[in-house]
Structures are given as structure tokens and as C-alpha cells.
Amino acid sequence: MNIWEDKEKNMNKFFKKYIGVIIAWVVVAIAAIFMMPNSFNLVASHGQTSLPKSAQSQVANTLKNNWGPKLSHTRQVLVVFSNGKAKLNDIQRNQINTTLTTLENKKDQFDIKNIVKPSVDSATAVSQPSNAQSTAAAPSSSQSSAASSGSDAMLNNDPSVSAELNSKDGTTMIAQLNVGKRDSVRQMDTKLKAAVRTASVKTYITSPDSLINDTQHATEAGLGKTEIIAIVIILLVLILLFRSLLIPLVSLISTGIAYIISLAIVLNLVSRYHFPFSNFTQISMLILLLGLGTDFSILLINEFKKQLRAGKDQLEATLAARRNAGKTILISSLTLIVLFSLLGFANYSLYESLVGVAIGILVLLLVLMSFTPFFLFFMGETIFWPSSNLEAHNYSRSWGFLSTKSAAHPLIALIIALIVATPFVFLNQKHLNHNDAAEITQKYPSKKGYQIVNQHYANGMNAPVSIYIKSDHSLRDQTDLQQIETITRQLRDQKGIHSVNSATEPHGQPLKQLYVNQQLNTLTGDNDAVSSGMSDTSKKLKSTSIQTDGLDSATGDAQSITSMVSTIQNEFNNSGVFATPAQMVDELQQKLRSEHRRRLTSMQRTVVTEALSRALNDQQQQTQMNSALSGIGLKTDSINSSTNSFKSELQNVQNQVRGYASTLDNLNNSLTNSNNFLKALAKSSVGNTIYIPDNVINADYFKTLIGEYLSTNEKTTRLDVVLNATPGSKKSIELVQDLENQVNYDLRGTQLKGATVAVGGYNSMVVDNQQAARTSFKRVAILLSIAAALILMIVAGSILQPVYLVGSLGITYLMSLGFTKWFSAQFLGQKWLTANMPFLTFMMLLAFGVDYSIYLLMKYKQTDGKGKSAERMINASILIGTVVIFAIVVISVIFASLMSSGVLTLIQVAIAVIFGLIIFGIVVPSIMPGVMRLTYEGFNFKQLRFRHRRTDSKSEK
């Protein structure tokens, strides 16, 4: 009677103790829901991968943020206008231009700092000639007219319009925007999508930030799907395994409470204390907690069932289950907590973000060790309803078969394992796909816009590489611009580079009139014209002849005029009539016509009339007129003398002019020789350099033209490089890695040799992330593998067993990568594994592999110590195999739910983990007993003989 009273007292005590704990957990979980920050907003604000400030992309980002208002703290965005397979017509082009003009007028509303529009002209858009971008300054300051035309050309070359933004097939136009970071990426995309809608064409907004944002959104949406699908599938699987409706509910409720509380803790730590976080933190916590929670529940429930079958009451069975299974759960949980906590030393933000999983496992341990035992005690055998069979799944035939064969034929087992593993291991390659666009499907507009740009433009148009060169002086001078042009030309000629835009080539085409050869061609062309004119002039000078016949006639005329004036004077004197000067000139003209058939020239007539007018004040002063007529006669005689003298002088001039032709010939020969030298110089390497006169360098139109590629203080310049490679691909990574070295090499020996050179943009960030991730992954893999091996050594009390298990886990990991790469290429259309997939797969396989290894080693220690090591391992495999197989099935189902997310990384991780767990579930029983026999017991190589040995009767007995 006292025994029953004690039992009832203990049960009441247990119930009272744990009912308060259960209520507390429920209250905490409810509070956690209301106190939980928005995870998506935290991913957007804290989930970006951070790199050291010394990384190339970060140095470039610093130079970008100090550039000036048009570029500092901006995102590079593409607006895509597509007409499908049909060419854009003029109406559509004008509509697109109207849309962009409206957008430009509302810059402040959308926080747009700069916009470069496509050319509206259809001919330019389709053919993309270089002439539109090739006009620049005058070839030399001495040619003022050429300088004027050059400046006009520059003024017409609007830096905010580029024909490069029109596709060659005429179906697509894009605009480049620099958008400030006032709004989040999602808000920015939403506003711009509404603003750029254009009738009769499809419009898209795409950028590296938009693709990353949509990937995060897809992961968030995939998380919701995974939660629902995983819960439903776990319920179904556990119902089938335990044939009970209540066990799955208890397992999921305890795991769910642990997940909610731990997630709230992590998100609040991120929000308040900048705890490491990424878009993979939450989904990793969900998957691991669901998997481990189910595993631990299976261990507890199996042990509880075993204790009930042994005849213990529900309190004793609960306590025994918690004691026996709880030890394994405690060791496994603490081991995983240590492993995930060590990620804090990863020195890479993405890897560090999984430290939050350690918090989740700790909360799961606390919940399971209090929540689940309470329901086991409270419900007793009812928890197995509707099944009444308490037969525990204690034996695994499959693991028993594999472990027995392994112990019997260890070398054969090892050889088979190596043969099977080798192809998968060699399928794995080091290169990974770092392109965020590969993560999501075409249902996201950013991915669709990205693909359209890839189809109609150079592959690197989606993410140009920006090379920044910072000096300690202004770069707007002849020497520095010459060096910038040299770098531009050398980069453009490099294989794998589609185009280079710079201060001297604003739209990817050389400004031809800046080049010496163009200037010399203009100059030599003008000199050729001058030379030709000089030759013609020389010929005319040589044939020059000054006619003096007119002068002889003028002499005769002068003598006749003198005689006639005298006659007229006498006639007027005799007649006593006083005539006017005009009358006298008319009379003189008549006499010349009648007697000499000549007449006064207009000049002679004017001279005579003016002389008469001045001499004759009135008709009554005859005396004065007579004197005047006499003077005219005298003057006419003087004209005769002067004419003879002038004739002699003209003959001298004629001789001198003919002499000038010889001098002009000499000058023309010198000009021709100089011109030939200049033509040769234009064809030499010197002609490929640029020369910009000071008046052009300081001109406002030139400052405007190159302003897009010079910072506000003009001490930093930028070269935008478009690659012929997909962003994040192996080829683009290799090209970017060479750019910095090449530019630094080109600057050696120049006045920019000490300048800061940094390569920025999406591809540069990919390179830095790859290097940081690769270095960090090596460190993490070594650290965690050693830590896992050391913990397993402590658990097993052995050195070799943990080494074998960790080695098997490593081979399984490599096989999983190889299989997933093959599967992705064959069925997903993706040739490469994504950048983060190997690390996530490593952590998942490590977590579950170490978990199952602890199960096996703990069971190995509980077996009879008198038997041989191989036999003990066989027994442990048989006893724990069922639990591990059930766990693998449940975990595989949980990971299979990730495939509904549509995110490539999660899909590949799911494939790799499912394959890896299956392989690990086969490798462990197939290898462990055999290698333990080889190392612990020694191996009798005589057993390799295939000759049948007869046994005597004694041996048979």
C-alpha cells in the first residue's frame, strides 16, 4: 500500500513540477511571436555579406561613395524596354523617350542621381555607328574654324544619351540609372516599375541588387512553403512509423515551440546587437530543428516504449527514457552547439550567420528535455493511440546484413566503397556559380529583364566592372588624359572585353578628333590644298605679262586733249560766249569722237569737269577760264610725261612678279616635304596618341563631356568595362582578377604610378566573396572536423573510430557534391553548383552525420565489452540502425520540401543532403565493422586464399 502511495505521490510531484514548466514554455512562445521582428526586413538591412575594408570591391566602393552627387551611395539599375522579337518602330521609340524624359523630370521623386538614355534615332539605334561618339575637340588651337566645329560636335554629343543602349537587332532599348539608397531595394523596384510603364512595350527593372532582393524574397517565400510541407510530411511519416496520431503532434509541438522561441531570440539579437544574420539563417534553423527535434523524439519515444515493455509504469518509463536517451541527446546537442558556435571564428559574415543555429539547438534541448517527457508521463501508453503494439523497433536487418558482411570481408567492402565513391568525387570541381540570377526563376521581373539584356547585349552589360583610379592631383590635363586613353585602348583590345567607357571614350568609342593622326590628317589635308594653290599661282606668275599699249594710247589722247582744249579756248575767246564746264567737256567729247574716234573715259571726264568747275566761279570771269584752260593743257602735257614713266615702272614690276614664281616654287617644295613627313607621322604610333589643346581642356563643353567619368574634384576617374562573360561566371572572375594587375602595370613609369587603383562592381564583389569564402571555408572545415573528431573521441573513448567516422563523412560530402553537380546539369539545366551550396551542405551533413555517429558510438559503448570490437560494432549497428534509418527518412523528407522554394541553392542543398544521408546510412555499417576488424583485431591474409580447406573431425566437433 505504501508503495502505491509513494508512486502516486511521486507522480503528483512530477506533474506539478512539469506542468508549470509547460505553461512557462507556452507563455514564452506566445510572447516570442509578438516580440519577433520582421525577418525579411532584417535580411534586407543586415543580411548582406560583409567584406573587409581592404578588399578590392570595398576600396572601390569607398571611392565611389566619395565621387560626387551623381554616383555616391547609389545603386546601378537598368530599365529594359522590349518589343519581343519585333523591331521597335518610331512611335514606340518616341514613347520610350517620353517615358524616360518624364522620369528624368521627376528625378527627386525617385531619388535618381543620374540617367543615361538610349538614342531615339532608329538608324543610329540599329547600326550603332561610331561616328556619333567620335567627334570631339579641335585638332589644334591654330585652326580656329576646326576648333569651332569640334566644339559644336562635342556639344551635340550629349553624355546623357548613348547609342550603345540600343540593341543591334532593334528590338530592345535600355536606360542606365544611378538611384540613391533612400528607399529599400523592394520599394525602389516598385516605384520604378510603375513609373516606366510604356504602352505597346514590356518594361522591366533589373540590377544586381534587384536580383539579390528577389532571391531573398524567394527564400522567404520558400521558407513558408517549406514549413507547411515539412509539417504535413513529418506528420504523415511519423504516423506511418509509429502508427500513432499523437506522437507526431507531441514531436512537432515541442519542436515548433523551440523554433519560435529561438528564432525570436536570434532576430532580436540581430535587431539590437547586429548579430550575424543572412537569408539562410532562418531556413537553416528550421530544417535543423525539425530534423534534430524529430530524431531526438524518436530516441525518447523508442526508449519509452522499451521501458513500458519491460513492465515499468509511465513515471518510471519516462524517467528511464529521459535518463538513457537523454544522455545521448545531451551529448549530441552539446556537440552540435559547439560546432555551430565555432562558426563565429569563420571571419566571413555568411558563415558566421549560422551561429544562430547553436541558439536554436540549445533551446530545442531545453524544450525537449522538459516538454516531451511531460507528455510521455501524462499520456502514458495512450500516446501510441490508436496502436496498442508496444513492440519497439530495436533491430535493423539492413544494417545487420551490411555490418556482418563488412566484418567478414573488410577488404572487399573497402574496395567496393572506393570504386563507388571515386566517380562521384571526381565529378566535383572547384568552380562555383556566383551569379545570383541563377538562383530564381523567370517569374521574377528582375530575372526576366536580366535575361533579355543577356540575349540582346553583351553578357556583361547587366553588371559592368568599374575601375577607379585616384590621384593626388586633377586628372583633367593632357598627360593624364593621354594615359587614361592608353589604358582604355589596352583594356578594349584584351580578349574577353566587349567595350570600355572612359573620360576619353565616354560611350565606348574613341573621340577621333582628339587623336594626333586625325588632327594631322586634317592639317595635311589643308596643306595639300594650299600646296595646290601655290602651284597654280606659280604658273600664273610665270606667265604674267603687263600690257602697256593702253598707256601709249593714253599718251596720244593726252596730246589731242591739249590741242583741243586750246582750240576750244580760242573759240570761246573769239565768240565772247562764256560756256559752263559741262558744256566744254561735252564739246571736247564730240571732237574726240569725230576726229579721233575716241572718247574721254569716265575718270578723264570727271577730272576735266572738276578742274573746270573749280577754276570757273562764274561765267563772266573769262580771264580765269582762259587761265584754267591753259592749266588743263599744261596738266595734260604732264599726264603725257607721267604715263611714259609709269610704263617703264610696270615693265620693272612685271619682271619682279615673274621672279616671285621661283621663290613660291621653293616654298611649295618645302611645304610638300613637311606635309609628307606629317602624313608619315600620322601613320606611326605617335598618331595613335591624343592631343588636347588647353583652350579645349578648359572649355565648358569638354568638361561636360568627360564629367561622367571624372569625380567632382577631378582627382578620381572611372573606366566602365563591359565583359563578354556572364556575371559571376568562371570567365568573368578570371577577367576581373587580371584587371587590377593590368592597370597597375600600365601606370608604371607615369605620373599616375602612385595612384590608388580599385576594381569595383558586382563582379569584383563576387571575386572578393569567392576569395573570402574559400579561405574561410578551409579554416572552418578543418576546425570543425578536428572539433568533431575530438568530441567523438571523448564520447567513444577511442581514437580510430571517430577518425573512421569523420573520414567516411568527408567522403560522403564529396560524393554528394559530385552527384548534385551531375544531377543539376542533367535535370535542372545548371552546369555548376551555386556559391553557398557546398558550405550549407557541409554543415547539414556534419550536423546529422555527427548526430548519427554519436548514436552509434553510444550504443557501441552500451554493448557487451567482452566481445571483439567488430562484433560489438555489428551489435551496435543492428540496435541503432532502425533509429538512424527512420531519422534519415524524416530528414530526407524535410529537405525534399526545400525543392518547392524555387531557389537553386536550396534545391541543390536538398539533393546533396538527401543523397549524402543515404550514402552515409550505407557507408557506416558497410565500412565500420570491417575497418575495426583490420585495425583492432588484425587481419589474417590467409583468408584471401580461394582454395577450399578441408576440416578434420576434431575441428568439426
Side-chain angles (χ1 to χ4, degrees), residues 489-539:
R489 188 168 57 249
Q490 291 177 347
L491 289 176
R492 188 179 62 243
D493 295 339
Q494 184 176 335
K495 185 178 180 181
I497 291 180
H498 176 263
S499 64
V500 182
N501 291 10
S502 67
T504 56
E505 298 187 14
H507 293 309
Q509 298 289 343
L511 296 173
K512 292 184 177 179
Q513 290 190 6
L514 294 182
Y515 278 80
V516 171
N517 55 10
Q518 181 73 15
Q519 299 171 17
L520 290 177
N521 288 338
T522 302
L523 179 61
T524 54
D526 293 344
N527 288 345
D528 285 339
V530 172
S531 177
S532 177
M534 290 175 68
S535 297
D536 294 340
T537 302
S538 176
K539 292 179 181 179

Short mmCIF file of all heavy atoms in Angstrom, two decimals, residues 489-539:
data_model
loop_
_atom_site.label_atom_id
_atom_site.label_comp_id
_atom_site.label_asym_id
_atom_site.label_seq_id
_atom_site.Cartn_x
_atom_site.Cartn_y
_atom_site.Cartn_z
N ARG A 489 42.45 51.93 -74.31
CA ARG A 489 42.71 51.21 -75.54
C ARG A 489 43.25 49.81 -75.27
O ARG A 489 42.85 48.84 -75.90
CB ARG A 489 43.69 52.02 -76.41
CG ARG A 489 43.89 51.45 -77.80
CD ARG A 489 44.62 52.42 -78.70
NE ARG A 489 45.90 52.82 -78.17
CZ ARG A 489 46.18 54.04 -77.73
NH1 ARG A 489 45.27 54.98 -77.73
NH2 ARG A 489 47.40 54.34 -77.27
N GLN A 490 44.16 49.71 -74.30
CA GLN A 490 44.73 48.39 -73.99
C GLN A 490 43.70 47.44 -73.39
O GLN A 490 43.69 46.25 -73.68
CB GLN A 490 45.92 48.57 -73.05
CG GLN A 490 47.12 49.24 -73.71
CD GLN A 490 48.27 49.48 -72.75
OE1 GLN A 490 48.10 49.37 -71.54
NE2 GLN A 490 49.43 49.82 -73.28
N LEU A 491 42.82 47.98 -72.54
CA LEU A 491 41.76 47.14 -71.98
C LEU A 491 40.79 46.70 -73.07
O LEU A 491 40.35 45.55 -73.09
CB LEU A 491 41.00 47.91 -70.90
CG LEU A 491 41.74 48.17 -69.57
CD1 LEU A 491 40.88 49.01 -68.65
CD2 LEU A 491 42.10 46.85 -68.89
N ARG A 492 40.45 47.62 -73.96
CA ARG A 492 39.50 47.30 -75.02
C ARG A 492 40.03 46.21 -75.95
O ARG A 492 39.26 45.39 -76.47
CB ARG A 492 39.17 48.56 -75.82
CG ARG A 492 38.04 48.37 -76.82
CD ARG A 492 37.74 49.66 -77.56
NE ARG A 492 38.88 50.13 -78.33
CZ ARG A 492 39.49 51.27 -78.11
NH1 ARG A 492 39.10 52.06 -77.14
NH2 ARG A 492 40.52 51.63 -78.85
N ASP A 493 41.33 46.18 -76.15
CA ASP A 493 41.94 45.18 -77.04
C ASP A 493 42.12 43.83 -76.37
O ASP A 493 42.50 42.86 -77.02
CB ASP A 493 43.29 45.69 -77.54
CG ASP A 493 43.15 46.93 -78.42
OD1 ASP A 493 42.05 47.14 -78.95
OD2 ASP A 493 44.13 47.67 -78.56
N GLN A 494 41.86 43.76 -75.06
CA GLN A 494 42.05 42.50 -74.35
C GLN A 494 40.93 41.53 -74.68
O GLN A 494 39.76 41.90 -74.79
CB GLN A 494 42.08 42.75 -72.83
CG GLN A 494 42.37 41.51 -72.00
CD GLN A 494 42.48 41.85 -70.52
OE1 GLN A 494 42.79 42.97 -70.16
NE2 GLN A 494 42.20 40.87 -69.67
N LYS A 495 41.27 40.26 -74.82
CA LYS A 495 40.30 39.23 -75.14
C LYS A 495 39.31 39.07 -73.99
O LYS A 495 39.68 39.04 -72.84
CB LYS A 495 41.01 37.90 -75.40
CG LYS A 495 40.09 36.78 -75.86
CD LYS A 495 40.86 35.52 -76.14
CE LYS A 495 39.92 34.40 -76.59
NZ LYS A 495 40.66 33.14 -76.85
N GLY A 496 38.04 38.99 -74.34
CA GLY A 496 37.01 38.80 -73.33
C GLY A 496 36.35 40.09 -72.89
O GLY A 496 35.40 40.06 -72.11
N ILE A 497 36.84 41.23 -73.40
CA ILE A 497 36.26 42.52 -73.04
C ILE A 497 35.49 43.07 -74.23
O ILE A 497 36.03 43.18 -75.34
CB ILE A 497 37.33 43.51 -72.57
CG1 ILE A 497 37.90 43.05 -71.22
CG2 ILE A 497 36.77 44.92 -72.46
CD1 ILE A 497 38.97 43.95 -70.66
N HIS A 498 34.24 43.42 -74.01
CA HIS A 498 33.39 43.89 -75.09
C HIS A 498 33.59 45.38 -75.38
O HIS A 498 33.73 45.79 -76.53
CB HIS A 498 31.92 43.63 -74.74
CG HIS A 498 30.95 44.16 -75.75
ND1 HIS A 498 30.32 45.38 -75.62
CD2 HIS A 498 30.50 43.64 -76.92
CE1 HIS A 498 29.54 45.59 -76.66
NE2 HIS A 498 29.62 44.55 -77.46
N SER A 499 33.59 46.20 -74.35
CA SER A 499 33.75 47.64 -74.54
C SER A 499 34.28 48.27 -73.27
O SER A 499 34.17 47.70 -72.18
CB SER A 499 32.41 48.28 -74.94
OG SER A 499 31.47 48.15 -73.90
N VAL A 500 34.85 49.46 -73.44
CA VAL A 500 35.37 50.22 -72.30
C VAL A 500 34.93 51.67 -72.47
O VAL A 500 35.17 52.29 -73.50
CB VAL A 500 36.91 50.16 -72.22
CG1 VAL A 500 37.39 50.93 -70.99
CG2 VAL A 500 37.40 48.73 -72.16
N ASN A 501 34.26 52.21 -71.47
CA ASN A 501 33.87 53.61 -71.46
C ASN A 501 34.77 54.35 -70.47
O ASN A 501 34.99 53.88 -69.35
CB ASN A 501 32.41 53.77 -71.03
CG ASN A 501 31.45 53.23 -72.07
OD1 ASN A 501 31.86 52.58 -73.03
ND2 ASN A 501 30.17 53.48 -71.89
N SER A 502 35.26 55.52 -70.88
CA SER A 502 36.16 56.28 -70.00
C SER A 502 36.03 57.76 -70.33
O SER A 502 35.21 58.15 -71.16
CB SER A 502 37.61 55.82 -70.20
OG SER A 502 38.06 56.16 -71.50
N ALA A 503 36.83 58.57 -69.67
CA ALA A 503 36.77 60.00 -69.90
C ALA A 503 37.11 60.36 -71.34
O ALA A 503 36.59 61.34 -71.88
CB ALA A 503 37.74 60.71 -68.94
N THR A 504 37.99 59.59 -71.96
CA THR A 504 38.37 59.87 -73.36
C THR A 504 37.51 59.10 -74.36
O THR A 504 37.59 59.36 -75.55
CB THR A 504 39.84 59.50 -73.57
OG1 THR A 504 40.05 58.13 -73.22
CG2 THR A 504 40.74 60.38 -72.73
N GLU A 505 36.72 58.17 -73.87
CA GLU A 505 35.79 57.43 -74.73
C GLU A 505 34.47 57.28 -73.98
O GLU A 505 34.12 56.21 -73.49
CB GLU A 505 36.37 56.07 -75.10
CG GLU A 505 37.67 56.15 -75.89
CD GLU A 505 38.13 54.79 -76.42
OE1 GLU A 505 37.33 53.84 -76.40
OE2 GLU A 505 39.30 54.69 -76.84
N PRO A 506 33.70 58.36 -73.86
CA PRO A 506 32.53 58.37 -72.98
C PRO A 506 31.47 57.33 -73.32
O PRO A 506 30.77 56.87 -72.44
CB PRO A 506 31.98 59.79 -73.15
CG PRO A 506 33.12 60.59 -73.65
CD PRO A 506 33.94 59.67 -74.47
N HIS A 507 31.34 56.97 -74.59
CA HIS A 507 30.33 56.00 -74.97
C HIS A 507 30.94 54.77 -75.64
O HIS A 507 30.34 54.15 -76.50
CB HIS A 507 29.30 56.63 -75.90
CG HIS A 507 28.47 57.69 -75.23
ND1 HIS A 507 27.81 57.47 -74.03
CD2 HIS A 507 28.19 58.97 -75.57
CE1 HIS A 507 27.17 58.57 -73.68
NE2 HIS A 507 27.40 59.49 -74.58
N GLY A 508 32.15 54.44 -75.23
CA GLY A 508 32.77 53.22 -75.73
C GLY A 508 33.38 53.35 -77.10
O GLY A 508 33.82 52.34 -77.67
N GLN A 509 33.42 54.54 -77.65
CA GLN A 509 34.01 54.77 -78.97
C GLN A 509 35.04 55.89 -78.85
O GLN A 509 34.83 56.86 -78.11
CB GLN A 509 32.94 55.16 -79.99
CG GLN A 509 31.89 54.10 -80.23
CD GLN A 509 32.44 52.90 -80.99
OE1 GLN A 509 33.50 52.98 -81.59
NE2 GLN A 509 31.71 51.79 -80.94
N PRO A 510 36.16 55.80 -79.56
CA PRO A 510 37.19 56.84 -79.47
C PRO A 510 36.66 58.19 -79.95
O PRO A 510 35.89 58.26 -80.90
CB PRO A 510 38.30 56.32 -80.40
CG PRO A 510 38.05 54.86 -80.52
CD PRO A 510 36.57 54.69 -80.44
N LEU A 511 37.06 59.26 -79.29
CA LEU A 511 36.81 60.61 -79.78
C LEU A 511 37.91 60.92 -80.80
O LEU A 511 38.99 61.39 -80.45
CB LEU A 511 36.83 61.60 -78.62
CG LEU A 511 35.74 61.41 -77.56
CD1 LEU A 511 35.97 62.35 -76.39
CD2 LEU A 511 34.37 61.63 -78.15
N LYS A 512 37.63 60.65 -82.06
CA LYS A 512 38.67 60.63 -83.09
C LYS A 512 39.40 61.95 -83.23
O LYS A 512 40.60 61.97 -83.51
CB LYS A 512 38.06 60.21 -84.42
CG LYS A 512 37.60 58.75 -84.44
CD LYS A 512 37.10 58.35 -85.82
CE LYS A 512 36.70 56.88 -85.84
NZ LYS A 512 36.19 56.47 -87.16
N GLN A 513 38.69 63.05 -83.05
CA GLN A 513 39.35 64.34 -83.27
C GLN A 513 40.31 64.70 -82.15
O GLN A 513 41.01 65.71 -82.23
CB GLN A 513 38.30 65.44 -83.46
CG GLN A 513 37.56 65.29 -84.77
CD GLN A 513 36.69 66.48 -85.08
OE1 GLN A 513 36.72 67.47 -84.37
NE2 GLN A 513 35.92 66.39 -86.15
N LEU A 514 40.36 63.88 -81.10
CA LEU A 514 41.38 64.07 -80.08
C LEU A 514 42.70 63.43 -80.48
O LEU A 514 43.74 63.74 -79.89
CB LEU A 514 40.92 63.49 -78.73
CG LEU A 514 39.72 64.14 -78.05
CD1 LEU A 514 39.44 63.45 -76.73
CD2 LEU A 514 39.97 65.62 -77.81
N TYR A 515 42.66 62.54 -81.44
CA TYR A 515 43.85 61.78 -81.81
C TYR A 515 44.76 62.60 -82.72
O TYR A 515 44.29 63.36 -83.58
CB TYR A 515 43.47 60.48 -82.51
CG TYR A 515 43.11 59.38 -81.55
CD1 TYR A 515 41.86 59.32 -80.96
CD2 TYR A 515 44.04 58.39 -81.21
CE1 TYR A 515 41.52 58.32 -80.06
CE2 TYR A 515 43.71 57.38 -80.33
CZ TYR A 515 42.45 57.35 -79.75
OH TYR A 515 42.14 56.35 -78.87
N VAL A 516 46.06 62.43 -82.53
CA VAL A 516 47.04 63.16 -83.31
C VAL A 516 46.90 62.83 -84.79
O VAL A 516 47.01 63.72 -85.65
CB VAL A 516 48.47 62.83 -82.81
CG1 VAL A 516 49.51 63.41 -83.75
CG2 VAL A 516 48.67 63.38 -81.40
N ASN A 517 46.67 61.57 -85.13
CA ASN A 517 46.56 61.21 -86.55
C ASN A 517 45.38 61.91 -87.21
O ASN A 517 45.47 62.35 -88.36
CB ASN A 517 46.46 59.69 -86.74
CG ASN A 517 45.32 59.07 -85.95
OD1 ASN A 517 44.48 59.77 -85.39
ND2 ASN A 517 45.31 57.75 -85.89
N GLN A 518 44.27 62.04 -86.48
CA GLN A 518 43.12 62.74 -87.05
C GLN A 518 43.44 64.22 -87.23
O GLN A 518 43.10 64.83 -88.25
CB GLN A 518 41.91 62.57 -86.13
CG GLN A 518 40.63 63.23 -86.61
CD GLN A 518 40.01 62.49 -87.77
OE1 GLN A 518 40.39 61.35 -88.04
NE2 GLN A 518 39.09 63.14 -88.48
N GLN A 519 44.10 64.79 -86.25
CA GLN A 519 44.47 66.21 -86.33
C GLN A 519 45.48 66.42 -87.46
O GLN A 519 45.39 67.41 -88.21
CB GLN A 519 45.04 66.67 -84.99
CG GLN A 519 44.04 66.56 -83.84
CD GLN A 519 44.67 66.82 -82.49
OE1 GLN A 519 45.76 67.37 -82.40
NE2 GLN A 519 43.99 66.40 -81.43
N LEU A 520 46.45 65.51 -87.58
CA LEU A 520 47.44 65.63 -88.66
C LEU A 520 46.80 65.42 -90.02
O LEU A 520 47.18 66.09 -91.00
CB LEU A 520 48.58 64.62 -88.45
CG LEU A 520 49.51 64.91 -87.26
CD1 LEU A 520 50.53 63.79 -87.12
CD2 LEU A 520 50.22 66.25 -87.45
N ASN A 521 45.85 64.54 -90.11
CA ASN A 521 45.16 64.33 -91.39
C ASN A 521 44.41 65.59 -91.81
O ASN A 521 44.39 65.96 -92.99
CB ASN A 521 44.20 63.15 -91.28
CG ASN A 521 44.92 61.82 -91.21
OD1 ASN A 521 46.06 61.70 -91.65
ND2 ASN A 521 44.26 60.81 -90.67
N THR A 522 43.78 66.22 -90.82
CA THR A 522 43.10 67.48 -91.12
C THR A 522 44.10 68.55 -91.57
O THR A 522 43.89 69.26 -92.56
CB THR A 522 42.34 67.98 -89.87
OG1 THR A 522 41.42 66.98 -89.46
CG2 THR A 522 41.59 69.27 -90.16
N LEU A 523 45.21 68.63 -90.84
CA LEU A 523 46.23 69.63 -91.17
C LEU A 523 46.87 69.36 -92.53
O LEU A 523 47.02 70.27 -93.35
CB LEU A 523 47.30 69.65 -90.07
CG LEU A 523 48.46 70.62 -90.26
CD1 LEU A 523 47.94 72.06 -90.31
CD2 LEU A 523 49.48 70.46 -89.14
N THR A 524 47.26 68.11 -92.78
CA THR A 524 47.89 67.79 -94.06
C THR A 524 46.92 67.94 -95.22
O THR A 524 47.32 68.29 -96.33
CB THR A 524 48.43 66.35 -94.04
OG1 THR A 524 47.38 65.45 -93.67
CG2 THR A 524 49.58 66.21 -93.05
N GLY A 525 45.62 67.70 -94.94
CA GLY A 525 44.63 67.94 -95.99
C GLY A 525 44.57 69.41 -96.36
O GLY A 525 44.52 69.77 -97.55
N ASP A 526 44.59 70.27 -95.37
CA ASP A 526 44.61 71.71 -95.64
C ASP A 526 45.91 72.12 -96.34
O ASP A 526 45.91 72.95 -97.25
CB ASP A 526 44.47 72.48 -94.33
CG ASP A 526 43.10 72.29 -93.69
OD1 ASP A 526 42.18 71.83 -94.40
OD2 ASP A 526 42.95 72.58 -92.48
N ASN A 527 47.02 71.53 -95.92
CA ASN A 527 48.30 71.86 -96.55
C ASN A 527 48.33 71.42 -98.01
O ASN A 527 48.93 72.09 -98.86
CB ASN A 527 49.44 71.17 -95.79
CG ASN A 527 49.70 71.83 -94.45
OD1 ASN A 527 49.22 72.93 -94.19
ND2 ASN A 527 50.44 71.16 -93.59
N ASP A 528 47.70 70.29 -98.29
CA ASP A 528 47.64 69.85 -99.69
C ASP A 528 46.89 70.86 -100.54
O ASP A 528 47.28 71.15 -101.69
CB ASP A 528 46.94 68.48 -99.77
CG ASP A 528 47.84 67.35 -99.29
OD1 ASP A 528 49.07 67.53 -99.29
OD2 ASP A 528 47.31 66.28 -98.92
N ALA A 529 45.81 71.38 -99.97
CA ALA A 529 45.05 72.40 -100.72
C ALA A 529 45.88 73.66 -100.93
O ALA A 529 45.88 74.26 -102.01
CB ALA A 529 43.77 72.73 -99.96
N VAL A 530 46.62 74.06 -99.89
CA VAL A 530 47.49 75.24 -100.02
C VAL A 530 48.58 75.00 -101.06
O VAL A 530 48.89 75.87 -101.88
CB VAL A 530 48.12 75.59 -98.66
CG1 VAL A 530 49.18 76.68 -98.81
CG2 VAL A 530 47.04 76.03 -97.68
N SER A 531 49.16 73.82 -101.02
CA SER A 531 50.23 73.48 -101.97
C SER A 531 49.72 73.52 -103.40
O SER A 531 50.39 74.02 -104.32
CB SER A 531 50.79 72.10 -101.65
OG SER A 531 51.77 71.72 -102.58
N SER A 532 48.53 72.99 -103.59
CA SER A 532 47.95 73.01 -104.92
C SER A 532 47.71 74.43 -105.39
O SER A 532 47.99 74.80 -106.54
CB SER A 532 46.63 72.22 -104.91
OG SER A 532 46.00 72.28 -106.17
N GLY A 533 47.22 75.28 -104.47
CA GLY A 533 47.00 76.69 -104.82
C GLY A 533 48.29 77.40 -105.13
O GLY A 533 48.36 78.23 -106.05
N MET A 534 49.35 77.07 -104.40
CA MET A 534 50.64 77.70 -104.66
C MET A 534 51.17 77.30 -106.02
O MET A 534 51.79 78.12 -106.74
CB MET A 534 51.63 77.31 -103.56
CG MET A 534 51.31 77.94 -102.21
SD MET A 534 52.39 77.35 -100.88
CE MET A 534 53.94 78.09 -101.38
N SER A 535 50.96 76.06 -106.40
CA SER A 535 51.42 75.62 -107.73
C SER A 535 50.70 76.38 -108.82
O SER A 535 51.32 76.84 -109.81
CB SER A 535 51.18 74.11 -107.89
OG SER A 535 51.94 73.39 -106.95
N ASP A 536 49.40 76.53 -108.68
CA ASP A 536 48.64 77.28 -109.69
C ASP A 536 49.10 78.73 -109.73
O ASP A 536 49.25 79.33 -110.82
CB ASP A 536 47.15 77.20 -109.37
CG ASP A 536 46.60 75.78 -109.51
OD1 ASP A 536 47.26 74.97 -110.20
OD2 ASP A 536 45.53 75.49 -108.93
N THR A 537 49.31 79.30 -108.56
CA THR A 537 49.74 80.70 -108.51
C THR A 537 51.11 80.89 -109.18
O THR A 537 51.35 81.86 -109.90
CB THR A 537 49.81 81.17 -107.05
OG1 THR A 537 48.54 81.01 -106.44
CG2 THR A 537 50.25 82.64 -106.97
N SER A 538 51.98 79.90 -108.93
CA SER A 538 53.32 79.99 -109.52
C SER A 538 53.24 79.97 -111.04
O SER A 538 53.94 80.72 -111.73
CB SER A 538 54.18 78.83 -109.01
OG SER A 538 55.44 78.83 -109.63
N LYS A 539 52.38 79.11 -111.55
CA LYS A 539 52.24 79.04 -113.01
C LYS A 539 51.72 80.36 -113.57
O LYS A 539 52.18 80.83 -114.61
CB LYS A 539 51.30 77.90 -113.38
CG LYS A 539 51.86 76.51 -113.08
CD LYS A 539 50.85 75.43 -113.44
CE LYS A 539 51.41 74.04 -113.10
NZ LYS A 539 50.43 72.97 -113.42
#
